[in-house]
Each structure stands twice: as C-alpha cells, then as structure tokens.
C-alpha cells in the first residue's frame, strides 16, 4: 500500500490521524493543503515528509498560471517556504523541498518545469521504496530466529512511501522466515506505536505486543527484549540521531542491559552538514497533546506541560546504523559515505 502518491494534479495520502479505526485517503490540491496535512500529522514520518514536500511543490507547479519561468520559480519558493515551516526536525522534509526546487530551476521553460518537478517528486517516492527494501534486507541479517524486537513510534510503511525502515527490517526478517516477535511502545502523546505500528504489524500477521512507554526498563531487566530497532528523523555526521521522543531513554536502557540498539534509516536522513546532535532542531508541539487525549482533558486546566516531539540519542549508544548502502558503525559514517 502506498502511503502517499501524486495522482493527476493532487497529492493523495492516508489520513494517519484516523487510524486504526478508519483507513481513509485524503486529497490535497495545493501546497497549503499539504502543509496543513503535515501540521495535523495526517502525513508524518521522515521519509514520507520528503515525498509530501516534493509532491506539494509539484501540485503548486501544476496549478500555477505563471507564464514565465521566473514567475513560477517565485511561486514555488513561496510554496517551499510554507511547507518548510511545518516541522523542523526531519531533514527529509528539506531534502524533498530542495530536490523539487532544483528540478524546477534546471528546467528551461514553464512547461518543462511542470514535467520536471512531477518527475522529481515521483522519483523521490520510487527511491524511497527501493531504499527501504534494501534497508530491510541489510537489517534482516542482524535479527535471529526467535528474537523479540522492540521498536518505538512508527517507522513503517505509513512513515515512508511504502515498506518502512525499522518496520522494513522486521518485515524483511519475517518474510525471510524468521519467527520474530515485536514489542511496540505506545508512544505518548500521539500514540503512533499503538495506533500505527500495531496496525501495520497486525495486517502483516507479525506477532506484536503493545506496552506502555514506561514498561521498557522492566522488560529489559527481565531479559524480555533481544534487540531494539528504531527509525530516525535526522542523523548528524558523528552518528548522533534524532528520533521520536523516548528513543534516548530506550538507548540508555539498552546499553545498561547489553542489548543491541539499531537505527534503520535511508542515507537521505543523514545530514552531513551538521557535526553533532546538538545542532539538530527539536520540534516542540502543542502542550494540548499532553494535557488532553481525543478531546478529553487528562490534567487540570491551566497546568503547564512540555511537549518535545523528538530527542537525540548520542552515537556512542547506537550499535549500528542500517542504511540502503550497508550497515555502519555511527562513528564510521563520515568515512564510509
Ligand atoms: O512525529 P512523527 O510521527 O513524524 O515521528 C516519526 C518518527 O520519529 C519516526 O521514527 C521517524 O520519522 C522515522 S520514520 C521511517
């Protein structure tokens, strides 16, 4: 199933806020619609954001009435700025924007620009699926028959164009006949683990057990987790990795218990322009996501709440990074890539 697709002059995407209760696709006809879908988390996950950003710029190109290349380029820059303001942490969003804009820039006239941006957006989607399959194959070798794999948030087909990164590794191992079991953390506050990861794994028939975020230390101390595989939103040149809030806690616990901790991500998630995780911008979302759930108040009105959406796991806690180009020690990224 494709999470996101360019169909005609619209972006068609799964509304992830409705899952697991409803599988519904929505259509966005302009960059503003795509930006809003990103802000509302109807589309989310780093690689899916790259596709969404490029497709958002593609629909802006297709609907434009501009007659000259420079007119169209300035419209596209405005669309890119709007999409670029939605979420700061996943570098893939900015890679998608950059690729779409440079395809437009390189084209010779308006007609050519429309074709070039659509082609680039579709290419990003195709490359993503191919990369995920390779990540899956590279990572599946690291999982043993009978392993219990813990994952966090959703780094599955829904977070990408298809197949997934961390869930791609799990999926590939399962399809290769390894009888693994998965522990999915619910992932407060937006419950991507409970709503999305559990849904994806159940659809594929992979045994999954849902736990609260706070259960990880207990389970690890009882020997109930063999390996951790998570996704990434941005990896710095030194291997420090930003991923969903709570990932750092898992890494510290895995280190304490001698459990391998793997990050699965395409090389497009590696941001060589920044040296360490300290430079990764961390998104803070509305406190309402913490104080309420589905419109129901959980905490007293007026109480202060903080809602960092991501944290940074230092590279020293990461056993290896699984990419489409191979499996690397975080400290070797600069040398190997
Ligand atoms: O806030 P989200 O749901 O967009 O966060 C998603 C994650 O943290 C994923 O682990 C990451 O984007 C990798 S997805 C293949």
């Amino acid at each position: 199933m494709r999470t996101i697709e360019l169909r005609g002059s619209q972006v068609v995407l799964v509304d992830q806020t409705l899952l697991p209760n409803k599988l519904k696709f929505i259509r966005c006809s302009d960059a503003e619609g795509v930006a809003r879908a990103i802000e509302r988390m109807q589309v989310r996950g780093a690689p899916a954001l790259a596709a969404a950003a490029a497709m958002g710029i593609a629909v802006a190109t297709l609907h434009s009435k501009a007659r000259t290349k420079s007119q169209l380029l300035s419209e596209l820059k405005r669309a890119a700025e709007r999409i670029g303001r939605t979420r700061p942490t996943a570098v893939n969003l900015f890679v998608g924007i950059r690729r779409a804009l440079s395809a437009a820039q390189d084209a010779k006239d308006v007609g050519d620009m429309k074709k070039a941006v659509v082609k680039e957006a579709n290419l990003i989607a195709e490359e993503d699926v191919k990369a995920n399959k390779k990540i899956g194959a590279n990572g599946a070798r690291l999982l043993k028959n009978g392993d219990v794999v813990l994952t966090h948030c959703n780094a599955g087909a829904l977070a990408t164009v298809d197949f997934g990164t961390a869930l791609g590794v799990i999926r590939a191992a399962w399809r290769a006949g390894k009888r693994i079991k998965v522990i999915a953390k619910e992932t407060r506050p937006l419950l991507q683990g409970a709503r999305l990861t559990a849904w994806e794994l159940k659809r594929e028939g992979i045994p999954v057990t849902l736990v609260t975020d706070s259960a990880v230390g207990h389970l690890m101390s009882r020997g109930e987790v063999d390996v951790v595989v998570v996704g990434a939103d941005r990896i710095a040149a030194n291997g420090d990795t930003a991923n969903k809030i709570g990932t750092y806690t898992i890494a510290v616990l895995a280190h304490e218990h001698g459990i391998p901790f793997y990050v699965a991500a395409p090389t497009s998630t590696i941001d060589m322009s920044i040296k360490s995780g300290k430079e990764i911008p961390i998104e803070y979302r509305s406190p309402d996501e913490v104080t309420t759930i589905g419109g129901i108040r959980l905490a007293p009105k007026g109480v202060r709440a903080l809602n960092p959406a991501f944290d940074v796991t230092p590279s020293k806690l990461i056993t290896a990074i699984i990419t489409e180009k191979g499996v690397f020690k975080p400290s070797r990224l600069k040398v190997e890539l």
Side-chain angles (χ1 to χ4, degrees):
M1 183 193 71
R2 292 274 161 134
T3 303
I4 181 161
E5 226 171 10
L6 198 52
R7 229 181 271 161
S9 55
Q10 291 182 317
V11 184
V12 180
L13 55 92
V14 174
D15 182 348
Q16 300 191 35
T17 61
L18 301 178
L19 285 168
N21 299 314
K22 213 184 269 177
L23 176 59
K24 191 181 158 208
F25 289 82
I26 57 162
R27 291 162 183 273
C28 309
S29 309
D30 54 20
E32 180 59 31
V34 171
R36 288 208 190 129
I38 295 172
E39 282 164 351
R40 293 183 187 130
M41 305 283 282
Q42 289 171 303
V43 57
R44 44 141 305 277
L49 293 180
M55 289 177 187
I57 294 172
V59 293
T61 320
L62 291 172
H63 289 280
S64 171
K65 303 250 183 315
R67 285 161 182 260
T68 65
K69 184 176 165 180
S70 74
Q71 264 174 3
L72 183 49
L73 267 182
S74 47
E75 283 180 23
L76 296 190
K77 279 183 190 147
R78 274 199 301 280
E81 273 160 27
R82 172 68 184 97
I83 294 172
R85 279 197 305 273
T86 53
R87 302 193 73 194
T89 303
V91 72
N92 311 62
L93 180 90
F94 304 97
V95 172
I97 290 174
R98 200 172 55 235
R99 284 183 60 173
L101 284 184
S102 92
Q105 185 84 56
D106 293 347
K108 61 176 190 301
D109 54 32
V110 168
D112 217 32
M113 281 166 91
K114 296 194 183 210
K115 284 191 213 126
V117 180
V118 168
K119 193 172 164 201
E120 191 65 18
N122 285 328
L123 184 65
I124 289 173
E126 292 317 314
E127 283 176 3
D128 179 59
V129 181
K130 275 195 202 138
N132 294 339
K133 297 250 168 87
K134 285 191 186 146
I135 291 169
N138 292 339
R141 297 189 197 110
L142 303 168
L143 303 186
K144 293 190 295 295
N145 195 32
D147 269 354
V148 176
V149 188
L150 183 129
T151 191
H152 186 47
C153 192
N154 172 265
L158 291 164
T160 59
V161 175
D162 204 349
F163 204 71
T165 56
L167 289 197
V169 169
I170 288 165
R171 216 184 285 284
W174 179 258
R175 289 183 186 177
K178 294 187 184 171
R179 296 301 90 176
I180 52 176
K181 289 182 182 149
V182 179
I183 294 180
K185 292 176 72 228
E186 60 178 354
T187 319
R188 277 277 292 149
L190 295 181
L191 304 174
Q192 291 92 329
R195 296 188 303 103
L196 309 176
T197 294
W199 181 79
E200 277 196 38
L201 292 173
K202 228 173 149 262
R203 260 167 77 106
E204 176 112 20
I206 303 174
V208 55
T209 303
L210 184 64
V211 299
T212 59
D213 295 322
S214 21
V216 177
H218 169 74
L219 294 173
M220 286 186 174
S221 74
R222 297 285 170 103
E224 288 178 43
V225 176
D226 297 305
V227 49
V228 177
V229 187
V230 295
D233 285 85
R234 193 184 298 230
I235 302 172
N238 72 344
D240 291 352
T241 295
N243 190 48
K244 179 52 56 195
I245 190 78
T247 303
Y248 172 47
T249 320
I250 309 172
V252 172
L253 282 164
H255 186 255
E256 169 71 17
H257 294 98
I259 296 167
F261 180 96
Y262 294 109
V263 169
T267 49
S268 53
T269 302
I270 303 171
D271 185 352
M272 286 294 186
S273 75
I274 59 166
K275 286 201 207 70
S276 85
K278 284 200 189 83
E279 294 167 56
I280 301 177
I282 298 294
E283 176 185 9
Y284 275 68
R285 295 183 60 82
S286 166
D288 295 349
E289 291 178 353
V290 178
T291 55
T292 62
I293 198 160
I296 297 168
R297 175 157 291 286
L298 301 174
K301 219 173 173 184
V303 77
R304 186 172 139 78
L306 269 185
N307 188 13
F310 300 96
D311 59 25
V312 175
T313 299
S315 61
K316 66 174 184 199
L317 298 178
I318 299 169
T319 310
I321 298 179
I322 306 163
T323 77
E324 76 281 15
K325 295 190 178 158
V327 178
F328 304 109
K329 287 240 164 279
S331 57
R332 300 279 306 161
L333 289 181
K334 264 188 288 189
V335 187
E336 307 267 0
L337 291 170

